[in-house]
Amino acid sequence: MSQEHGGRRHGVQLIAYADRFGGSVRGLLDLLDGPLAGVFDGVHLLPFFTPFDGADAGFDPVDHTAVDPRLGTWADVHELAGSRTLMADLIVNHVSADSAEFRDVVARGTASEHAGMFLTMSDVYPDGAGEDELAGIYRPRPGLPFTPMSLGGRRRLVWTTFTPRQIDLNLAHPAGQAYLDRVLSALTDGGVSMVRLDAVGYAVKTAGTSSFMTPQTFGFIEDLTARARERGAEVLVEIHSHFERQVAIAARVDRVYDFALPPLLLHALYTGDAAALRRWLAVRPANAVTVLDTHDGIGVVDVGPDQIEENRPGLLTPEQVHDLVEGIHTRSGGQSRQATGWAASNVDIYQVNCTYYDALGGDDDAYLLARAVQLFVPGVPQIYYVGLLAGRNDMELLARTGVGRDINRHHYTREEIERDLERPVVRRLLELVRLRNAHPAFGGDFRADGDGSVVVLSWRAGGHRASLEADVAAGTFRIEATPAQA
């Protein structure tokens, strides 16, 4: 299996909020050019739009084409992109209820020039919908995806897939399409060369379907991807779904996330059984962006039975998924339970909120084993800023905001960053990153083997070799590699 899926070989990338890791776009650049010089080939700059601190940490932009002036300017973003791959989010599904366009629709209704930009129930079901049809809509949160609102004095059911503060776009309407084109232009003009399609699986609503990853969704993704490629950008599709659906999606797009890897590694390290992990390694797409942690929680829907089609088993059984979730709660000392599900607001019911380091009980060896596996599987590795520093759960921030995901969204000072970079676990992680970036073997062919509790991942390019043997029961691993400059 060859590593790359078209284009150049990508090194390891950082995922970070500018305000929480550096304080601004220029502050993040100073870190990447300073204490982290030469470590990261690229960066996924999490929402920096106006405002970056809305109801959903920037994923509900009021103005998706503007850099929040508290973080910097488009010139700063362009400078960040100057010597590295820059990824940014194209928030496809929705905008903030406080956007100028939606506020105009609230005031003027159908008389607004922006009326066609936003989706209501009647846009999809002009003749109404029965119970079976509405119950069949797939949503990552409980309840139906509608919020009653007054638009121009008329009571309407506005489509709100995630929260009532995030208003879904009508992407079948020219106004919705034109909006996305404006945002895509702003991103690529600003130096963005990888575009992450946030929540794209929910973006196209079609009567008589689940309105999640339907054939119509695929058509939309292919069209939007073509428009991004015309502007020189590669596209990453963000989908949480059954593993077989992920494999099918990967064949039709530039890149997908490997969201199955994080829970499968936890399961393997909790149980000492690597069978499910090896099964995934045998079928996972090579054109993946590999992560252990992101700005969201640790997903479990990606390894469990299909939530849409019945009798479609997952990589783990429901009992194993339950034990996995309880294992995270136990190893985090119950902290993740306080941040997950009904215990905290604005959460995805299929994710557990916890830092990956705390999900492994703060065990340095287990954590480094997991990172080594991440860095040895094919794809583009991305490391979240909290995970880079082996961060602990931020219970103070959780208590202050009541937002579950904030447990893994710490605001780092420069002093904290410089201190944590000297911790042995972080220094060893940086050594793994440098190996992954520099060794020629990772540009060649990949093979996964092993038995029982052991996973063996090997790379070969000409005379260059690099291999990882990890024992999830013992919590140990060994790396062997030919000299990088041989």
Side-chain angles (χ1 to χ4, degrees), residues 138-478:
Y138 180 73
R139 186 173 186 241
R141 303 178 187 194
L144 291 173
F146 310 113
T147 301
M149 297 185 184
S150 178
L151 305 183
R154 178 187 171 195
R155 203 67 171 162
R156 305 291 302 275
L157 285 178
V158 177
W159 207 299
T160 53
T161 294
F162 292 93
T163 75
R165 303 302 303 163
Q166 292 163 296
I167 310 301
D168 285 25
L169 295 163
N170 186 352
L171 298 174
H173 193 280
Q177 296 168 11
Y179 167 81
L180 285 189
D181 282 336
R182 291 196 301 274
V183 177
L184 182 59
S185 295
L187 294 178
T188 53
D189 289 347
V192 173
S193 56
M194 292 184 76
V195 176
R196 175 183 181 270
L197 304 185
D198 176 70
V200 70
Y202 305 92
V204 178
K205 285 76 171 179
T206 306
T209 75
S210 66
S211 291
F212 177 77
M213 291 313 299
T214 63
Q216 292 83 358
T217 314
F218 276 114
F220 169 76
I221 290 172
E222 289 170 357
D223 178 65
L224 187 55
T225 297
R227 281 143 59 195
R229 286 173 177 167
E230 288 174 358
R231 295 182 169 277
E234 190 176 354
V235 170
L236 167 65
V237 176
E238 187 242 356
I239 300 289
H240 282 281
S241 189
H242 187 266
F243 77 95
E244 290 178 345
R245 191 170 291 111
Q246 286 281 30
V247 173
I249 293 167
R252 304 177 64 172
V253 300
D254 288 335
R255 295 198 182 272
V256 293
Y257 278 110
D258 182 353
F259 283 133
L261 186 65
L264 288 177
L265 271 168
L266 292 179
H267 167 77
L269 286 162
Y270 290 176
T271 64
D273 182 0
L277 175 60
R278 282 195 303 273
R279 181 186 174 198
W280 174 236
L281 292 173
V283 300
R284 68 181 292 279
N287 58 320
V289 168
T290 62
V291 293
L292 294 188
D293 44 5
T294 69
H295 59 285
D296 289 334
I298 300 169
V300 295
V301 68
D302 310 277
V303 293
D306 198 347
Q307 301 293 312
I308 299 175
E309 298 178 25
E310 294 184 1
N311 302 315
R312 195 181 191 189
L315 294 161
L316 300 179
T317 67
E319 294 75 21
Q320 288 174 320
V321 171
H322 174 270
D323 290 345
L324 169 64
V325 172
E326 290 301 313
I328 298 173
H329 294 334
T330 298
R331 285 162 180 80
S332 67
Q335 292 179 339
S336 59
R337 195 184 301 277
Q338 297 178 50
T340 298
W342 310 116
S345 64
N346 193 28
V347 295
D348 188 317
I349 58 175
Y350 301 126
Q351 294 182 349
V352 180
N353 292 313
C354 185
T355 72
Y356 208 80
Y357 187 64
D358 271 322
L360 287 167
D363 184 325
D364 288 359
D365 291 336
Y367 185 68
L368 289 166
L369 184 156
R371 287 294 179 190
V373 172
Q374 178 200 1
L375 292 167
F376 262 78
V377 296
V380 180
Q382 289 187 338
I383 298 179
Y384 185 55
Y385 76 106
V386 176
L388 171 68
L389 300 178
R392 309 304 299 252
N393 288 327
D394 191 336
M395 299 306 290
E396 181 181 337
L397 183 60
L398 173 64
R400 190 162 69 246
T401 67
V403 175
R405 290 171 177 170
D406 274 348
I407 197 173
N408 190 30
R409 294 177 176 179
H410 182 65
H411 292 261
Y412 280 93
T413 64
R414 183 65 178 250
E415 292 72 25
E416 284 179 303
I417 294 168
E418 292 178 350
R419 180 199 67 208
D420 283 352
L421 285 172
E422 295 302 315
R423 290 168 55 201
V425 62
V426 177
R427 295 181 71 167
R428 290 173 65 192
L429 174 54
L430 292 175
E431 290 174 5
L432 290 172
V433 171
R434 291 187 177 100
L435 173 69
R436 173 64 175 76
N437 282 335
H439 204 285
F442 291 101
D445 295 320
F446 171 78
R447 180 184 177 92
D449 296 293
D451 187 50
S453 64
V454 175
V455 173
V456 180
L457 308 179
S458 305
W459 287 90
R460 175 178 179 176
H464 299 286
R465 306 282 191 280
S467 66
L468 166 71
E469 182 177 313
D471 188 329
V472 296
T476 59
F477 67 95
R478 183 176 73 252

